[in-house]
Amino acid sequence: MILNQIIKNKKWYGINTLGIGLAFAVVLIIFTHAQKELSYDRFHSNADNIYRINIEDQQSEGRPPVSGIEGNLIVPLYDKFPQIKEVVRLIHPENTIITAEKNNFSNNQLFFTNKQFFEVFDFKLIKGNRESLFNKPNQVVISKKIALAYFGTEEALGKEIKIAVQYIYAKSGSYTVAGVMENFPDNSHFNAELLFSINNNEDINEYHTFAYLLLEKESNLTSLKKLINAHWKKNTKEGEPEPISQLMPLRDIHLYSHNTDEMDVNGSMSSLIILIVGALIVFLIAFINFTNLNYVQFITDLKDFKIHMINGASYSDLSRIIITRSLIPISFAILLGGLIAYNFDALSGSAFQLNISVFNTLWIALVFYLVFALSSLLPLVTTKVSKDLARSPYQGSKKFVASLLFQFMLSIAAIITTIVLHKQIDLVNDLHPGNEKSSIVIMPDVPYHMIQKYEILKESCLKHPEIRNISAAFYKPGLNMPYSYPIEMEGIDKSVEKKLNMFSIEADFFKLFNIKPLAGSLDMGITSSMSWENIAIKISKYNPNSDQVLEKLEQYNKEHPDFQENYILNKSALKVLGIKNPQDAIGKSFQFNFMAPKLFKKGQVIGVIDDLHYGDMFSIEKPMVLAAKKMFNSTFIAKIDPNRKAEALQVLTKEWHTLAPDHPIKYEFVDDLYEQIYFNQYKEMRALTLFSILSIILSILGMFALSSFSIQHKTKEIGIRKANGSTSLEILMLLIREYTQWVVVAFLIACPIAYYIARDWLRNFAYRIELSWWIFAISGVLALIIAILTVSWQTWKAATQNPVEALKYE
Amino acid sequence: MIKIENLSKRFQTEEVETTALNQINLEIKEGEFVAIMGPSGCGKSSLLNILGMLDSPTSGDYYFNDQEVGNQKESQRNAIRKGNINFVFQSFNLIDELNVFRNVELPLTYLNIGKSDRKARVLEVLDRMKIGHRKHHYPQQLSGGQQQRVAIARAVSAKPKLLLADEPTGNLDSKTGLEVMNLLSELNSEGMTIVMVTHSERDAEFAHRVIRLFDGEVMTEKTAKEFATINY
Ligand SMILES: Nc1ncnc2c1ncn2[C@@H]1O[C@H](COP(=O)(O)OP(=O)(O)O)[C@@H](O)[C@H]1O
Ligand SMILES: [Mg+2]
């Protein structure tokens, strides 16, 4: 009997199962994801009283602050402020090599920290004594995962781990394993696998650190900030900017911190809101479809319900019948949705790394059962069943106008915003330099000894045809480092100090990224050699007037008479300098007053480029001067043959390993790098795309079912019209108009909504696409076409049939 | 059993108000077989709906077994109707997804009757209607006459006191119509009160009494006879 039911009403069952199933999957996925996002860092018992201290950046307009802080600003926090109970510092050295049991490892999840780390945070310790950790110098605490990787099944406690740190900060040396921690949970805003000890009094204060404060309960943040600022101000040298403190609650870091230089990729509240709203919309559309179809089905079945009633069924008996019947699609839907949700990571390339709990699944399923089963009673509650056995209360599509309008409004708004997001991401990708970004390989944070071997590496790599070009630059794409220094230029007023940002590149940089000059040339000519730069630094830093060193430099200059400093400016630099025509800058003598004054010789401007957009696009381009200094180029860049990527990477790895056997190569592709920068924006774009597609599919299904129902009821009308001489086309137009007029109204409502959402989202970026009218027009036309096709599919059959047939139908 | 006093029924639609029944008085005793006749649209079905408590009168009173039911709440009327009244329609009104057995069982399922009792009663009434061999068939697989026999079987399986039949032979040829009329009259002879709407004078012969409606009003025997000579 149930099978008969399903076969007879397959449209009803199919559409409802699909709709509710998708809604269930989306709600389950987004709920689980949101729950995780909102749970970040809350597992610490001190979570409410831990704050990270940063400096507000007053210099660069609108730029988010950097997450870390200068070490020397931390020192006073230890004892000068009674509200601060503990201070934890985390120093993250780049470029380290770890040696354990004679094996070399490279690990980016390592920090130097102080003893208080284990008091302030609750990360679980599996082995070792929490109280005595870091009581002795040179101890290290490692995660379970690292213990397994480094020491296998052997006891890790007491083992030695050596660390070699590339740059001066933090100590290289040998450390003893004093503890093994549980791997950090996913919902921690940072993940540490190795924690090396520093002592509070150790002289590492000039280094950039992350600093966490454990405050007394209910501390007054405003007054604390004032006190800290006042203290810092006292110690600020004349002429330097006063640092202004920012106290960010630990619990807010994951969702609200937009600081640059975060320890890990963060989430964002706005993404989360988009996801939640999207899930609600999908749910609403599925719900609307369900109630509409339910109503339609109810009318179709009304006769049967009346028969039940005449034979003694009460309203509660009918309710039972209706609810029982609705349980079938709901159950199938929950199965389908659960299947999608549990396999979502596999389907989406682990977009969320979900860990769906059975508990969530069950209670959300229960809510779905309740909501949909109860709402299936709506038509029964609003109709008098016993009356008019012969008459159908169907009154055309009027009853569904509001819901169709709503669905189409949402779909159109979703299409518009999706197009805007895609266009913006495209714009960003176009503006960033490089033609085929997926074939540009970045080797960031190259250790100094490898920087010295750059020329050798380049030469040996270029022997292989898979490597098209090799170059190097100051830092990796996506960063926006503020290194601004005063300049002097021929023809520019000296009385007002002009500052430009230094960006060092290697001569082939422009060719590799396919950058063309606006004026002049980009041929850097012969650039300074590594040894010349080393001498220049020495002179600048230690003993600028030492005759001996100066002599050496003179001598060197003589030996390389053709080395001349060349400078390239970007368009933003011209703006700062007040130069309108790029051509006017060419050939002008130029002096860059770097902190090491001898490192940059007086030279001339040889070229002007458009804004480079090497950094992220959340802020506007800095005025830049580009020069070639080998010692600064710690990011190597390779352009490889896009068709032979694997071979090219092998070549790179091999040549690198020959030169630096102890230092494993690290590389990333430029497109991936940029995608990480816009992680949240990409996530929002993908989520929105998915939601648009889902809402469109569901709306189409809903409209399809409604129109087929209304046409079924119109068959007679169509027959009469045809008998009276209407053509099939005329009838088709008539029926299409009935539905599509609402699409037009929906479009008019959707446009302003989508406009505001899109404009708001675009504010993320300093460079935005224009919200041109055609984006809106296309979306409207698209919705209209979808509506017409959906309705026509049904209508055409009805409109073209023989009128006699139609009249016989009733 | 049935007493109706000054009963009226008006339908309000968007454009017009229709008076389907106008100040009707009538009485029907237990065990009677009454035929209601009259031209199309005169209010016969409306009257039957009210008698069967599917609809309520706009004004006037309806006593069923001395209890006023016309102005009761719907749920109240449903409860009184249950097991006491059932219907037979011109268009059979069987449930397509249920087979013959389940269709006939329907009223019993709402009456707290045990499963084996139900089965026994359904089989008995199906036999009686000479349709027992078709109990596993679905309505679409039966002829019109068979369907109407199933419908009657369903209507009487719960042994109601009052059977309301709205043109029960309207969709049948005269031979099967006659069979159906024989069945009804047999049921009546066993004590079931029957009120039947019909257009057929032959069918009306089976009734003890004919009530003629015209334009929502009951005509006296005399005017009815006169009217009949004019009209038919
Ligand atoms: N639900 C309704 N809404 C409006 N008018 C109705 C309704 N039911 C019946 N009528 C009208 O009431 C009058 C009597 O109808 P009905 O009782 O069905 O007549 P009969 O069964 O004698 O042919 C008719 O004019 C009919 O159009
Ligand atoms: Mg009638």
Side-chain angles (χ1 to χ4, degrees):
Chain A
M1 173 208 164
I2 286 176
L3 203 65
N4 281 336
Q5 268 268 344
I6 295 179
I7 292 168
K8 185 178 160 202
N9 303 315
K10 49 188 177 301
K11 242 185 234 167
W12 186 82
Y13 281 103
I15 292 176
N16 280 333
T17 303
L18 193 62
I20 301 173
L22 289 175
F24 181 69
V26 167
V27 169
L28 184 56
I29 290 167
I30 301 300
F31 184 86
T32 306
H33 176 67
Q35 207 178 27
K36 181 186 162 196
E37 290 287 292
L38 292 169
S39 74
Y40 263 75
D41 298 311
R42 275 159 210 256
F43 52 87
H44 301 290
S45 48
N46 289 324
D48 290 345
N49 301 311
I50 303 175
Y51 292 81
R52 191 172 67 191
I53 186 162
N54 306 316
I55 308 294
E56 304 260 14
D57 190 347
Q58 313 116 289
Q59 290 170 319
S60 39
E61 62 300 320
R63 269 199 81 67
V66 177
S67 312
I69 181 170
E70 302 288 304
N72 56 1
L73 295 174
I74 306 278
V75 178
L77 303 180
Y78 282 108
D79 47 12
K80 296 268 186 317
F81 306 93
Q83 279 174 306
I84 302 178
K85 278 163 75 178
E86 302 287 358
V87 178
V88 174
R89 310 172 64 172
L90 285 169
I91 300 175
H92 179 62
E94 308 264 344
N95 285 308
T96 51
I97 300 173
I98 295 164
T99 316
E101 309 276 76
K102 301 211 173 84
N103 295 316
N104 284 346
F105 299 95
S106 142
N107 189 313
N108 205 31
Q109 307 296 344
L110 67 85
F111 295 89
F112 282 82
T113 189
N114 48 337
K115 175 180 171 50
Q116 283 72 17
F117 181 92
F118 303 100
E119 291 166 34
V120 170
F121 295 116
D122 285 2
F123 296 109
K124 271 202 205 89
L125 197 70
I126 327 177
K127 281 180 191 166
N129 179 354
R130 199 172 193 108
E131 273 72 48
S132 66
L133 282 180
F134 291 8
N135 277 352
K136 288 185 198 150
N138 284 34
Q139 292 193 324
V140 60
V141 174
I142 59 177
S143 71
K144 203 162 90 182
K145 181 179 145 200
I146 291 293
L148 189 72
Y150 290 7
F151 306 111
T153 50
E154 280 178 48
E155 176 59 59
L157 281 187
K159 285 261 163 44
E160 291 291 297
I161 292 183
K162 283 204 189 80
I163 178 167
V165 182
Q166 190 56 50
Y167 296 108
I168 21 189
Y169 52 65
K171 300 188 315 175
S172 299
S174 185
Y175 291 73
T176 314
V177 176
V180 178
M181 323 174 267
E182 189 57 73
N183 297 331
F184 276 33
D186 282 345
N187 56 353
S188 165
H189 78 278
F190 72 103
N191 175 21
E193 294 179 343
L194 296 126
L195 290 165
F196 293 89
S197 64
I198 47 172
N199 300 317
N200 287 345
N201 47 9
E202 234 167 332
D203 182 25
I204 49 161
N205 288 335
E206 56 188 280
Y207 311 117
H208 182 84
T209 80
F210 298 101
Y212 295 84
L213 310 180
L214 175 63
L215 303 186
E216 291 288 351
K217 277 205 183 78
E218 282 153 38
S219 290
N220 184 337
L221 293 184
T222 336
S223 80
L224 179 62
K225 270 198 283 196
K226 269 195 198 133
L227 288 173
I228 293 175
N229 291 344
H231 187 91
W232 282 349
K233 188 176 170 182
K234 262 196 326 212
N235 296 334
T236 310
K237 282 187 205 121
E238 194 77 33
E240 278 182 20
E242 295 157 17
I244 302 211
S245 60
Q246 183 202 53
L247 289 175
M248 174 162 283
L250 177 73
R251 293 170 319 179
D252 288 356
I253 292 176
H254 178 70
L255 283 179
Y256 295 97
S257 166
H258 301 297
N259 294 3
T260 50
D261 213 21
E262 270 296 350
M263 307 155 105
D264 219 330
V265 180
N266 270 353
S268 114
M269 200 59 196
S270 64
S271 302
L272 194 58
I273 289 172
I274 288 185
L275 289 174
I276 292 172
V277 170
L280 281 179
I281 288 176
V282 170
F283 176 82
L284 259 181
I285 292 184
F287 182 76
I288 289 173
N289 274 354
F290 182 76
T291 41
N292 280 350
L293 292 194
N294 221 20
Y295 180 77
V296 158
Q297 189 61 37
F298 179 80
I299 289 169
T300 316
D301 292 347
L302 198 55
K303 200 187 108 201
D304 286 359
F305 290 137
K306 283 171 184 163
I307 298 170
H308 277 278
M309 226 158 167
I310 283 164
N311 285 289
S314 61
Y315 272 98
S316 57
D317 291 323
L318 292 188
S319 308
R320 216 184 45 236
I321 295 174
I322 291 172
I323 286 186
T324 318
R325 194 181 60 183
S326 76
L327 292 183
I328 298 165
I330 302 174
S331 303
F332 277 125
I334 283 171
L335 264 172
L336 173 76
L339 217 63
I340 297 175
Y342 275 86
N343 293 299
F344 184 70
D345 273 332
L347 298 172
S348 68
S350 51
F352 288 143
Q353 295 173 348
L354 289 171
N355 195 353
I356 301 174
S357 71
V358 176
F359 178 73
N360 278 350
T361 315
L362 288 182
W363 81 254
I364 293 176
L366 193 70
V367 168
F368 266 66
Y369 269 115
L370 279 178
V371 167
F372 284 99
L374 286 182
S375 72
S376 70
L377 291 179
L378 276 174
L380 181 67
V381 175
T382 54
T383 318
K384 275 212 175 314
V385 176
S386 59
K387 276 192 189 170
D388 311 318
L389 200 58
R391 254 165 252 262
S392 142
Y394 178 69
Q395 268 139 33
S397 59
K398 272 195 223 97
K399 198 178 156 79
F400 308 110
V401 164
S403 56
L404 277 178
L405 208 69
F406 184 71
Q407 287 186 332
F408 265 86
M409 190 199 78
L410 290 177
S411 301
I412 294 171
I415 298 174
I416 295 174
T417 39
T418 304
I419 296 180
V420 170
L421 265 60
H422 278 270
K423 294 273 304 166
Q424 175 65 28
I425 296 276
D426 282 353
L427 172 82
V428 165
N429 281 330
D430 278 353
L431 285 179
H432 285 311
N435 272 352
E436 296 157 290
K437 295 191 180 62
S438 60
S439 56
I440 300 178
V441 182
I442 300 290
M443 291 151 268
D445 309 317
V446 177
Y448 197 65
H449 63 88
M450 261 316 262
I451 295 177
Q452 286 171 305
K453 293 176 192 154
Y454 170 77
E455 302 289 349
I456 311 170
L457 181 75
K458 179 168 181 170
E459 200 182 326
S460 54
C461 281
L462 287 180
K463 281 186 192 134
H464 301 271
E466 296 89 352
I467 311 285
R468 298 250 169 102
N469 205 346
I470 296 272
S471 187
F474 195 11
Y475 44 79
K476 66 180 182 180
L479 298 184
N480 259 337
M481 299 277 214
Y483 287 96
S484 77
Y485 299 95
I487 61 113
E488 283 167 41
M489 185 171 157
E490 184 186 343
I492 302 296
D493 179 14
K494 273 185 201 161
S495 60
V496 192
E497 189 186 62
K498 297 272 171 13
K499 278 184 164 181
L500 294 181
N501 259 51
M502 190 273 283
F503 184 64
S504 169
I505 41 115
E506 190 259 3
D508 278 339
F509 180 86
F510 302 105
K511 209 169 122 203
L512 191 148
F513 279 107
N514 203 30
I515 297 163
K516 300 277 181 294
L518 288 181
S521 99
L522 302 179
D523 182 1
M524 302 300 278
I526 295 170
T527 57
S528 55
S529 70
M530 200 80 180
S531 50
W532 184 90
E533 289 169 12
N534 277 327
I535 297 167
I537 281 278
K538 258 187 202 146
I539 296 168
S540 309
K541 210 172 176 183
Y542 297 112
N543 200 347
N545 299 319
S546 143
D547 291 343
Q548 200 190 349
V549 183
L550 262 182
E551 223 169 80
K552 233 180 164 180
L553 190 66
E554 284 297 307
Q555 176 70 24
Y556 206 90
N557 283 344
K558 252 182 232 150
E559 282 168 25
H560 300 81
D562 42 357
F563 161 51
Q564 192 203 2
E565 203 79 76
N566 288 326
Y567 293 99
I568 289 166
L569 301 176
N570 71 352
K571 219 170 159 185
S572 293
L574 292 194
K575 233 179 265 160
V576 168
L577 299 172
I579 301 171
K580 292 233 168 58
N581 187 350
Q583 200 60 49
D584 295 348
I586 308 303
K588 295 277 162 22
S589 77
F590 187 94
Q591 170 83 50
F592 190 58
N593 295 326
F594 191 62
M595 58 181 175
K598 290 286 181 230
L599 187 60
F600 290 89
K601 292 207 291 187
K602 189 169 178 149
Q604 60 164 336
V605 176
I606 59 158
V608 173
I609 55 170
D610 205 341
D611 284 346
L612 187 57
H613 296 301
Y614 189 72
D616 67 58
M617 260 186 241
F618 298 127
S619 52
I620 54 166
E621 176 104 342
K622 294 249 158 54
M624 286 205 297
V625 52
L626 289 84
K629 283 287 161 268
K630 294 209 172 56
M631 66 185 304
F632 287 145
N633 292 341
S634 64
T635 295
F636 291 178
I637 306 161
K639 172 106 184 187
I640 60 173
D641 185 339
N643 301 319
R644 291 155 78 192
K645 278 189 193 168
E647 295 96 315
L649 291 175
Q650 265 170 17
V651 167
L652 277 179
T653 311
K654 198 188 107 226
E655 297 299 346
W656 175 286
H657 192 74
T658 322
L659 294 172
D662 287 343
H663 199 107
I665 186 173
K666 261 197 310 187
Y667 56 78
E668 294 163 89
F669 287 95
V670 168
D671 53 347
D672 294 339
L673 263 176
Y674 282 124
E675 196 173 321
Q676 277 164 37
I677 304 269
Y678 306 112
F679 175 79
N680 281 312
Q681 284 72 32
Y682 268 94
K683 193 162 93 182
E684 286 161 14
M685 177 181 80
R686 289 189 183 127
L688 206 68
T689 311
L690 184 69
F691 287 137
S692 311
I693 293 172
L694 286 184
S695 64
I696 291 167
I697 290 177
L698 292 181
S699 303
I700 288 177
L701 287 179
M703 186 145 121
F704 175 73
L706 276 187
S707 62
S708 71
F709 174 77
S710 98
I711 280 153
Q712 201 176 309
H713 280 253
K714 274 198 163 148
T715 318
K716 193 171 177 182
E717 184 193 325
I718 294 171
I720 294 170
R721 277 181 193 276
K722 282 191 86 169
N724 285 302
S726 286
T727 65
S728 300
L729 195 67
E730 274 167 359
I731 292 168
L732 184 65
M733 292 312 293
L734 197 80
L735 291 166
I736 285 174
R737 203 163 58 217
E738 180 176 335
Y739 282 90
T740 48
Q741 57 186 341
W742 302 115
V743 177
V744 175
V745 179
F747 174 72
L748 294 177
I749 306 172
C751 278
I753 296 174
Y755 177 81
Y756 278 105
I757 295 172
R759 202 182 58 170
D760 211 49
W761 188 81
L762 288 177
R763 291 215 174 103
N764 279 322
F765 296 92
Y767 298 86
R768 303 169 199 141
I769 57 155
E770 246 172 75
L771 283 173
S772 36
W773 62 270
W774 65 261
I775 296 178
F776 294 82
I778 279 186
S779 312
V781 170
L782 199 65
L784 205 62
I785 290 174
I786 290 173
I788 290 174
L789 286 181
T790 312
V791 178
S792 312
W793 188 352
Q794 291 295 313
T795 324
W796 188 246
K797 259 194 298 184
T800 50
Q801 72 185 343
N802 188 330
V804 181
E805 203 110 316
L807 288 173
K808 233 167 35 188
Y809 198 99
E810 272 290 281
Chain B
M1 181 182 228
I2 287 170
K3 196 171 171 218
I4 276 173
E5 287 175 353
N6 297 329
L7 185 137
S8 295
K9 178 72 189 175
R10 284 183 290 276
F11 291 104
Q12 185 68 53
T13 51
E14 272 163 41
E15 305 96 44
V16 285
E17 193 192 66
T18 323
T19 304
L21 297 170
N22 191 10
Q23 298 282 337
I24 289 193
N25 290 291
L26 55 82
E27 199 166 341
I28 295 170
K29 298 217 170 53
E30 187 139 12
E32 262 196 295
F33 188 164
V34 177
I36 298 176
M37 297 187 78
S40 202
C42 70
K44 306 180 295 291
S45 296
S46 303
L47 177 61
L48 225 52
N49 282 345
I50 289 173
L51 289 180
M53 301 178 210
L54 293 177
D55 206 351
S56 52
T58 316
S59 66
D61 294 323
Y62 167 23
Y63 296 92
F64 183 78
N65 287 337
D66 297 329
Q67 186 190 0
E68 210 293 313
V69 291
N71 300 311
Q72 298 279 8
K73 276 195 300 226
E74 194 180 352
S75 56
Q76 200 73 33
R77 283 189 270 127
N78 284 350
I80 299 169
R81 182 175 61 239
K82 189 162 156 180
N84 282 321
I85 304 176
N86 214 319
F87 295 77
V88 176
F89 299 95
Q90 175 179 4
S91 52
F92 323 136
N93 282 336
L94 298 172
I95 294 178
D96 291 341
E97 286 94 72
L98 301 182
N99 64 18
V100 166
F101 184 92
R102 298 256 174 251
N103 260 296
V104 175
E105 191 189 24
L106 198 62
L108 303 176
T109 57
Y110 295 114
L111 280 175
N112 279 334
I113 295 174
K115 202 169 171 185
S116 51
D117 269 1
R118 285 207 307 258
K119 190 169 175 190
R121 275 170 80 169
V122 170
L123 292 180
E124 183 202 316
V125 70
L126 280 176
D127 267 354
R128 180 141 185 223
M129 300 296 151
K130 302 188 181 63
I131 197 85
H133 57 298
R134 299 277 172 164
K135 60 176 184 284
H136 294 307
H137 285 64
Y138 284 87
Q140 312 86 283
Q141 300 165 325
L142 302 176
S143 73
Q146 289 170 326
Q147 287 192 44
Q148 193 60 302
R149 288 213 299 269
V150 174
I152 294 172
R154 185 181 65 194
V156 301
S157 67
K159 303 206 170 92
K161 305 213 168 48
L162 175 62
L163 182 67
L164 301 168
D166 197 343
E167 301 184 38
T169 60
N171 275 355
L172 303 175
D173 60 67
S174 65
K175 187 170 160 276
T176 31
L178 201 61
E179 279 172 30
V180 165
M181 285 316 300
N182 281 324
L183 273 173
L184 289 182
S185 126
E186 207 179 306
L187 287 165
N188 172 251
S189 65
E190 288 163 17
M192 193 176 285
T193 314
I194 297 179
V195 178
M196 173 183 72
V197 168
T198 183
H199 282 302
S200 147
E201 293 287 346
R202 184 202 71 189
D203 291 356
E205 301 271 302
F206 286 83
H208 305 154
R209 176 156 74 97
V210 178
I211 297 172
R212 290 183 193 271
L213 281 183
F214 184 71
D215 212 5
E217 293 181 36
V218 179
M219 290 184 282
T220 59
E221 294 293 312
K222 189 165 159 273
T223 48
K225 284 234 171 71
E226 279 166 15
F227 186 80
T229 52
I230 303 163
N231 237 341
Y232 301 105

